[in-house]
Each structure stands twice: as structure tokens, then as C-alpha cells.
Amino acid sequence: MKILAVETSCDDTGISILKTGNNGSFSAQGRPVSGWKILSNIVASQIKVHQKYGGVYPMMAKREHQRNLLPTFIKALKESKLMTSQIPNPKSQTNSKFQILNSILEREPELGGKIIPFLKKYRKPDIDLIAVTNGPGLEPCLWVGINFAKALSCLWDVPIISVNHIESHILVNYLKNKSIELPAIALVVSGGHTQLILMKKIGDYKILGETRDDAAGECFDKCAKILGLGYPGGPAIAKLASQHPTPNTKHPKLPRPMIATKDYDFSFSGLKTAVLYKDQKTKTKNQRYKREMAYDIQQAIIDVLIKKTMKAVKNFDARSLILGGGVSANQELRKQFKNKIEKESPDTEFLVPKPDLSTDNALMVAIAGYFKARQNKFPKWQDIEADANLRVE
Ligand code: KG4
Ligand code: ZN
């Protein structure tokens, strides 16, 4: 089975093609029987566009997705060696489906103007399933990917599946670890979300806690903006923090919000405000000050995430701890989580994707789509809609 996956929930345009072995059949525990082969996994980042404005503006991101989708798709087809030959006389195509495609892509004129002539020109590639993110995320952005995927599904008569972005961030860990011991605790930390999730099995989740205000990645991004470090803030803060020569671990200056509360919720907006006040009071903002602040911001976020997550790992007797989402690309976070698990819960397996699979990509969508296909969760393409606030359940 070859799965074409589409990801446009935020500011990365992702297309991936995953081959899932002969028949992709699964054992009872959801263990893939035959191997997976990544034929392509292309991400067109919009960072350069959003850097100018210090953050992501949904309508600007939507426009970029419309621009990037076709070139990214062609690149993925070529890399997968699935690019097809041209139809001899494309103009004479009387396929009535193109009328439907026009209406599907009505709200994405820039994308429609490019993709429809392309689809008229080239034959259907060898794709068996289309997976697309339908939420959570920025609604205008989600729609671009959904309408693109719907158009392909309709024209080629290929089944389509919609997947949850948060679930994709979790299930991408199956790439490296074909069998994950359950129950697992999953911490998904991204620019839009901070959720602590109990995973009883694939497709069966309970959100234990989440942020009450800003997400961890959002906090990195906002603090970086205050310090004048640019966008995205996470990698910028991580880089500066690693250059701090003498971290004072005993006397942190910044607060660790909600670290001692009994629940599994988080709050990061107070940390950002504390950074803002400190910055306003500081007269000499030299490199040393910035390094110290970056170190303490990163450590404050790590301290809170580890404390709450370890509490969940112990209380739910988790056999695995899974990290996912852009913030889980943070090397210091990964290192400190690994050490903590080894020390305090050595029987729990610690799983985290490669950094480029922690951040948004379409390979994770293909994997989540595969698991949903195994559960026969196929909607009609007409029924797929964007849901900016979609939750795992
Ligand atoms: O999952 P993701 O790529 O997109 C969303 O779904 O939001 O996460 C993006 C977030 C941004 O806030 C970015 O600053 C953060 O992940 N991030 C990091 C690192 N790399 C990306 N945060 C901390 N350290 C990093 N190395
Ligand atoms: Zn994400």
C-alpha cells in the first residue's frame, strides 16, 4: 500500500509518500507485520516569510500553502519515482470530474489554477490511500490541504482518511519502534499545544491535562521575541542557552508556573510576563544577559514539563513515555527526560522522534493514516471538514 500524506495545519507544507509493505497487515497489538519504506518526506518551510513579522499570520500561511503545495507534491512524486507520464492530448479531456474539482478548489484559487492543469496533464500515480490533517490547527491552512487531498481523491477514486495532528505527533514514534508497550503517557508539545495524554491503545486516548493559556512552543516564541531573537523562538533560545557558560541551577530567576499543582495542567503565560518585566527593568542587554535569560527560560519550561509528565508516568504505571511536537526537538529537553526516566522509572521505555520528525511533517500523517485505515475509518471525501479545535479521544 502506498500512502500519500498532506500536512498544512500551521506554517509547514508537508507531502510524504509511505510504502507499507505487501499488504500492511497488523498483528493484534497493532504491530506492523511487514516493513515500511519512506519513499519521500518533503517539508516546505515558511519560516523566511513569517520571520519578517515575528510570527505566523493565518491568511499569509494559507497563501503560502497554496503556492507551495504543487511544487512540494511534484518533488515528492519525483523522489518516490512515482511521477507518471503525460496524457497525450490533455485539452481533449472530457472528464466531468474536473467540474467537481473546480468547485472543491473554489476557495483556493491560487492552488486550483496550478493543480487542475497539472492533473489534466498527468496520469494517476500509483497511490492507494490519501491521508490529510483535518485539525487541530489554523483553519484556513487546514482547508488548503483538505481541499487539495479531496481533489486528488475525487479525481483518482482513491480512498481518503482524515487524521488528527496531535495523534500524528504521537504515532510517528512507531516508525522507529514497531511495537510500543502500552499504556503510554504521551507529551505533545508544539507551537499550538501542550497536552499530556494517556494512550491505552492506538486510537484510544485520554487528555489528562493541557495548557490553560500559552503552549510551551508559543512561550519559547514569545520570549524569543521579547529578547529580540527572531522566529521561531525555540531553536533560537536553545542555541543561546547552550552557550551559557555558568548556569546557576540553584537560584533560578524565573518562575516555574503550576509546577506544584496536583493536576496535570500547565500554564506558560506567566513565565512570558515575568520575562517581559525582567527585560523592561534590565538596562544593559548584552549577550551575557541574553544567554542567562535563554538558559533560564528553557530550564523553566523543561522543569515544569518533566515534573508533570513524570507524575503521570508513575500514577498510570506507564510502560512507555512518548514525546512529540516541535518542542520535543529540543536537545536539552530530550536529554533531561532520558536521565529522569533512567533514574526514576527505568522500566518505562522512553521514545522521541528524530528532531526533524518532532516538528511538523507529512510522514507522521501517513503513519496516523495507516493506523486509521487498519481500523477501517474511511469517510467520504465530501464529509471531511477542517476542525481547528479537534481533540484526540
Ligand atoms: O509541532 P510544530 O512544528 O508546529 C505546531 O504544530 O505548532 O511546533 C513548532 C514549535 C515552535 O513554537 C518552535 O519554536 C518549537 O516548536 N520548537 C522548539 C525547537 N524546535 C522547534 N522549541 C524548543 N527547542 C527546539 N529545538
Ligand atoms: Zn505540530
Side-chain angles (χ1 to χ4, degrees):
M1 180 162 70
K2 291 194 193 77
I3 305 173
L4 168 71
V6 184
E7 160 62 41
T8 62
S9 68
C10 188
D11 61 342
D12 290 303
T13 313
I15 297 277
S16 175
I17 301 175
L18 175 70
K19 190 175 173 215
T20 59
N22 308 337
N23 57 4
S25 53
F26 262 66
S27 72
Q29 288 163 337
R31 184 178 309 183
V33 174
S34 41
W36 287 345
K37 189 162 182 236
I38 304 162
L39 301 184
S40 54
N41 183 30
I42 317 271
V43 179
S45 166
Q46 303 179 2
I47 283 179
K48 287 220 166 75
V49 177
H50 301 299
Q51 257 165 357
K52 281 187 231 152
Y53 305 93
V56 181
Y57 288 90
M59 292 318 282
M60 208 178 286
K62 173 189 163 89
R63 197 190 62 201
E64 288 302 307
H65 286 306
Q66 291 197 55
R67 280 185 188 158
N68 294 343
L69 260 174
L70 181 61
T72 312
F73 176 52
I74 293 174
K75 219 168 155 185
L77 284 176
K78 286 188 175 159
E79 202 173 293
S80 307
K81 305 212 169 12
L82 292 177
M83 193 72 196
T84 50
S85 58
Q86 290 192 22
I87 295 164
N89 217 344
K91 284 218 174 89
S92 69
Q93 276 225 68
T94 51
N95 194 338
S96 61
K97 280 198 175 157
F98 281 105
Q99 275 176 14
I100 308 176
L101 259 60
N102 277 325
S103 70
I104 294 174
L105 293 162
E106 209 175 4
R107 285 179 8 201
E108 330 292 348
E110 197 168 341
L111 173 64
K114 288 184 193 153
I115 190 74
I116 291 181
F118 175 86
L119 293 173
K120 281 186 174 164
K121 203 163 156 193
Y122 290 93
R123 295 177 203 281
K124 172 192 173 296
D126 180 17
I127 296 289
D128 307 291
L129 174 69
I130 297 168
V132 60
T133 307
N134 75 320
L138 304 171
E139 192 166 323
C141 298
L142 289 163
W143 272 116
V144 183
I146 291 172
N147 287 332
F148 173 71
K150 280 182 172 187
L152 301 186
S153 168
C154 166
L155 180 69
W156 298 337
D157 270 328
V158 170
I160 187 169
I161 242 163
S162 59
V163 306
N164 181 308
H165 184 73
I166 302 290
E167 189 177 11
S168 306
H169 272 307
I170 298 173
L171 297 183
V172 72
N173 283 281
Y174 274 92
L175 193 66
K176 211 168 56 183
N177 311 277
K178 294 292 187 251
S179 106
I180 295 180
E181 298 287 334
L182 300 173
I185 290 293
L187 174 69
V188 178
V189 264
S190 70
H193 296 89
T194 300
Q195 289 186 340
L196 202 48
I197 296 164
L198 171 66
M199 173 180 175
K200 291 180 217 151
K201 57 182 195 221
I202 296 170
D204 183 352
Y205 311 95
K206 181 169 187 249
I207 299 173
L208 301 175
E210 61 196 311
T211 186
R212 294 186 181 175
D213 38 59
D214 293 352
E218 192 178 355
C219 182
F220 270 114
D221 294 338
K222 286 178 174 170
C223 290
K225 199 168 180 179
I226 295 168
L227 296 176
L229 303 178
Y231 177 85
I237 287 189
K239 190 168 168 215
L240 259 190
S242 72
Q243 296 164 357
H244 186 35
T246 51
N248 183 350
T249 44
K250 289 221 175 74
H251 303 288
K253 294 185 187 79
L254 295 172
R256 269 66 175 155
M258 289 185 73
I259 196 162
T261 57
K262 288 211 174 90
D263 51 28
Y264 295 108
D265 282 347
F266 303 91
S267 163
F268 291 105
S269 75
L271 175 58
K272 168 206 65 195
T273 309
V275 169
L276 181 65
Y277 288 160
K278 174 121 187 70
D279 197 67
Q280 283 168 346
K281 276 194 228 141
T282 306
K283 288 200 184 85
T284 331
K285 291 170 192 168
N286 56 19
Q287 203 58 8
R288 186 191 158 81
Y289 157 80
K290 287 193 182 181
R291 283 189 197 134
E292 244 172 44
M293 287 296 277
Y295 177 87
D296 206 12
I297 292 162
Q298 176 176 269
Q299 198 52 50
I301 294 172
I302 293 176
D303 284 347
V304 181
L305 292 176
I306 290 189
K307 184 77 192 271
K308 292 269 164 118
T309 306
M310 288 307 294
K311 193 166 82 172
V313 165
K314 288 173 194 165
N315 284 354
F316 289 90
D317 254 334
R319 308 203 33 203
S320 308
L321 167 62
I322 298 172
L323 299 193
V327 177
S328 73
N330 186 287
Q331 292 300 333
E332 199 53 40
L333 176 83
R334 298 157 87 100
K335 192 174 95 191
Q336 293 186 29
F337 253 117
K338 189 166 176 281
N339 291 343
K340 196 77 170 174
I341 281 282
E342 277 168 9
K343 214 164 124 200
E344 292 184 13
S345 191
D347 293 335
T348 306
E349 196 181 357
F350 175 57
L351 306 169
V352 61
K354 280 195 330 180
D356 61 334
L357 294 178
S358 283
T359 48
D360 287 352
N361 64 88
L363 179 56
M364 65 184 197
V365 180
I367 293 170
Y370 176 64
F371 285 106
K372 261 187 132 171
R374 299 302 313 165
Q375 296 159 6
N376 278 321
K377 291 188 175 169
F378 294 97
K380 281 199 268 180
W381 66 259
Q382 291 89 333
D383 294 338
I384 296 181
E385 295 205 328
D387 182 351
N389 302 312
L390 188 67
R391 290 168 76 76
V392 290
E393 50 188 358

